Amino acid sequence: MSLPYTKKVLEYFQNPKNVGEMDKPDAMATEGSPACGDMVKLYLQIDKQSLIIKDIKFKSYGCASNIATASIITELAKGKTLEQAKKINWKEASETLGGLPPVKVHCAVLAVDALKTAIENYEHKNDLIKEKKHTDENVVRQRLSRVINPLTGLDLLQVNFIKKIEVKEGGISVWINLNSDHQFAGNIKDETIERLEPLWDIKKVNVIFNDQA
Amino acid sequence: MKKYQRTVYLDNNATTRVDNKVTEYMNHYFLQDYAVASSQFSHTPGIKARDAVEKARSIILGKLRSGPGDQFIFTSGGAESNNMALKGLALTNKDPSRKKIIISGIEHFSVLNTAKALEKSGFEVKEVKVDGQGFIDLEHLQSLLDEKTLLVSIIYANHEVGTIQDMPKISDIVHQKGALLHTDAAIAFLQTPIDVQKQNIDLLSLSAHKIHGPKGSGGLFIKKNIPVQKILDGGYQENNLRPGTENVPGIAGFGKAVEIFKEKDLEKVKGLRDYLYNGLGSRIEHVLINGSKDLSKRVANNLNVSFEYIEGESVVLHLDMRGIAVITGSACFSRALQASHVLLAMGFTHERAHGSIKYSLSKYLTRADMDYTIKQTKEVVEKLRDLSPLKSTTF
């Protein structure tokens, strides 16, 4: 049988490791969305002193490549310090799996991004940011550049969905050029909040749609 | 890896196994009467081949309940027939006031992309809406139609969700404004009664390999006096409408596949499909049916469902490893990495399209195959749901 996936990808697809959720994770992150067809959620348990990833679990919605990569990422990250884990990239994940079909690389990137975002979120929450930069519009824009509009597959900034960003007194307001009854308004709102809330100096995130302005 | 013995092919809306009676019959025209089908004044082998072609033509025209002067032109299949219907008509269109073509959003790519090509040559193309079960919005069709409309092309039964259109009604509406009606009936043929006279159909595309005939064989029905021109230049074959040496074995096989069709096979397939649907629906939670909920208004061999909270490519791969061949409307699965345009045109969310699985059946399947499919599908869906981060609130 000549499937496009390596034997190892198929093995992990059939028997993924570290599947699950955590009640009180020290850090977590979601990348992708069901509308895009791929989504990974990572949960991390981190030792406060040593900053070692003690446990890591994942859940995945998506294709074989997505499931296998998320699984391998959890194995690669477990037992590593946050600094070491940050260095895991999609190439390493892909190589460990014996390669991925080129069109499926974005699925591998998704899982790696989830790990990076989870670590970043942890650092923000636990005052571990080395260069404490105050959140400004640029920081917000950078974070939102990973929120994808499922209709186009492009991120919110590329399709000019962001009308205005305001950062004031520990709060961020984002005006989005869509009505709140749009098919993906709910997804976009959840993801926007999830991306911005962990920022170390932010307490509140407001997402405002056209009909709410 | 666990070994699974059974193979269950459930992609019969894509293509079917050729019937043994068809291959035997075709063999004769590969090995014995293999001459070029020629005029009645030719040598005997040529006349024998000609007779085979004409026999097939008359079987197919008979099945379509055609009238005197109607034609059936053999082509390489459904895609060519659709091209010929749209381009062949648009190119001969002598009335400059009729420059509008209406199609639906759930057409096969060979109609969608042909219409797009005609748009570039100055035709106006409008898309009629379909509802959530894949039925043409007849009021919308009425509102789009006007004296400028040359042609309306609507798929008789859809290749993904199997919804059968109310063709007599569509035909009435289309002809009120003097437009012509083309329908891609590749999936509908032999699954729902077609009567081109009663239903007043001007052009109709067929494909042999959807009905246990050979690939590379199909044709276009052209009603008497409908001015369709050839789209390929060459010799004078097929009443000077389709050049190239006739595919005699393919044409003969097409005719044979129609000739041996039995109503009781269709009943069997329908019974298996209903059994599969009931089995999946009663044993798995959160299953949504895509297409007509009234099973009598979808072709007998089609079942399309979405399993919520999971993605289709994973389901397909798991089932494939268990010997079951199905397909999905998920973006991951397609060559274009885009979710099924049919499901999106029906107004479904991308999630629902990503989670869709199409089971399309044939007369070669058994009740045991269905039991196996239900059992394996249940296992796979549960396995993937355990892995999924989505909960009911996401949908």
Side-chain angles (χ1 to χ4, degrees), chain B residues 214-269:
Chain B
K215 292 169 184 63
S217 179
L220 180 67
F221 164 83
I222 306 174
K223 195 181 175 170
K224 188 184 177 184
N225 294 333
I226 300 296
V228 171
Q229 256 188 20
K230 57 185 170 188
I231 53 170
L232 295 172
D233 290 303
Y236 297 91
Q237 290 91 347
E238 292 296 287
N239 208 13
N240 197 19
L241 282 170
R242 207 279 189 174
T245 300
E246 290 94 337
N247 171 12
V248 178
I251 290 168
F254 186 4
K256 186 52 98 178
V258 177
E259 192 182 50
I260 62 170
F261 165 76
K262 287 193 202 77
E263 205 63 46
K264 81 171 198 325
D265 287 337
L266 190 66
E267 285 307 309
K268 177 192 165 185
V269 168

Side-chain angles (χ1 to χ4, degrees), chain B residues 87-280:
Chain B
K87 289 179 186 160
L89 189 74
L91 293 177
T92 52
N93 168 34
K94 293 207 176 67
D95 182 353
S97 68
R98 289 198 185 260
K99 291 289 251 184
K100 185 160 149 186
I101 293 169
I102 299 172
I103 61 168
S104 80
I106 60 166
E107 296 302 310
H108 189 267
F109 280 125
S110 54
V111 166
L112 278 182
N113 288 334
T114 302
K116 267 186 203 160
L118 288 171
E119 204 168 20
K120 283 186 194 142
S121 351
F123 283 86
E124 182 190 2
V125 176
K126 290 280 177 195
E127 220 173 88
V128 59
K129 285 187 221 153
V130 298
D131 68 13
Q133 296 185 58
F135 291 105
I136 299 294
D137 180 337
L138 297 176
E139 276 175 32
H140 189 230
L141 176 62
Q142 194 116 40
S143 73
L144 289 176
L145 265 168
D146 53 20
E147 270 74 29
K148 287 186 206 148
T149 311
L150 173 68
L151 177 73
V152 176
S153 180
I154 303 287
I155 192 163
Y156 205 125
N158 182 265
H159 49 295
E160 290 191 31
V161 293
T163 305
I164 303 171
Q165 301 300 335
D166 188 344
M167 214 34 89
K169 249 196 200 136
I170 290 173
S171 175
D172 281 349
I173 295 170
V174 169
H175 290 108
Q176 275 166 22
K177 298 282 181 184
L180 297 175
L181 175 64
H182 166 253
T183 182
D184 175 354
I187 297 294
F189 188 49
L190 303 186
Q191 296 216 66
T192 187
I194 297 177
D195 186 322
V196 288
Q197 290 191 80
K198 270 195 201 148
Q199 297 168 2
N200 198 7
I201 292 166
D202 301 303
L203 297 159
L204 178 143
S205 302
L206 294 182
S207 169
H209 73 94
K210 309 276 189 193
I211 55 162
H212 304 291
K215 292 169 184 63
S217 179
L220 180 67
F221 164 83
I222 306 174
K223 195 181 175 170
K224 188 184 177 184
N225 294 333
I226 300 296
V228 171
Q229 256 188 20
K230 57 185 170 188
I231 53 170
L232 295 172
D233 290 303
Y236 297 91
Q237 290 91 347
E238 292 296 287
N239 208 13
N240 197 19
L241 282 170
R242 207 279 189 174
T245 300
E246 290 94 337
N247 171 12
V248 178
I251 290 168
F254 186 4
K256 186 52 98 178
V258 177
E259 192 182 50
I260 62 170
F261 165 76
K262 287 193 202 77
E263 205 63 46
K264 81 171 198 325
D265 287 337
L266 190 66
E267 285 307 309
K268 177 192 165 185
V269 168
K270 194 173 172 301
L272 290 176
R273 190 271 314 272
D274 294 355
Y275 181 78
L276 176 65
Y277 176 55
N278 290 331
L280 293 174

Side-chain angles (χ1 to χ4, degrees), chain A residues 1 3 5 7 10-11 13-16 19-21 34-41 43 58-65 67 103-104 106-107 150-151 183-184 187, chain B residues 1 4 308-315 317-318 320-322 330-333 337 344 347-352 354-355 383-391 394-395:
Chain A
M1 200 162 55
L3 285 166
Y5 295 117
K7 215 176 146 197
L10 292 178
E11 259 171 46
F13 170 62
Q14 286 192 291
N15 300 300
V19 176
E21 290 168 356
C36 295
D38 272 313
M39 182 175 176
V40 179
K41 228 178 171 95
Y43 302 83
F58 85 96
K59 284 245 163 165
S60 156
Y61 165 95
C63 62
S65 168
I67 293 168
V103 296
K104 298 288 186 181
H106 76 276
C107 313
L151 277 183
Q183 185 187 353
F184 297 120
N187 283 337
Chain B
M1 241 184 251
Y4 297 92
E308 292 185 276
Y309 322 131
I310 57 176
E311 191 275 327
E313 196 217 51
S314 287
V315 178
L317 186 53
H318 269 303
D320 187 45
M321 293 194 282
R322 294 157 192 247
S330 168
C332 282
F333 185 77
L337 285 184
L344 296 184
F348 289 168
T349 59
H350 283 243
E351 292 94 304
R352 184 151 171 187
H354 292 318
K383 191 178 167 90
L384 288 169
R385 280 186 181 158
D386 279 346
L387 203 66
S388 171
L390 302 178
K391 300 202 171 61
T394 319
F395 282 81

Side-chain angles (χ1 to χ4, degrees), chain A residues 121 124-125 143 193-202:
Chain A
N121 289 346
H124 270 278
K125 271 190 187 157
R143 290 220 146 204
I193 293 173
E194 210 181 289
R195 299 259 164 196
L196 300 177
E197 228 165 25
L199 289 167
W200 68 279
D201 58 347
I202 296 301

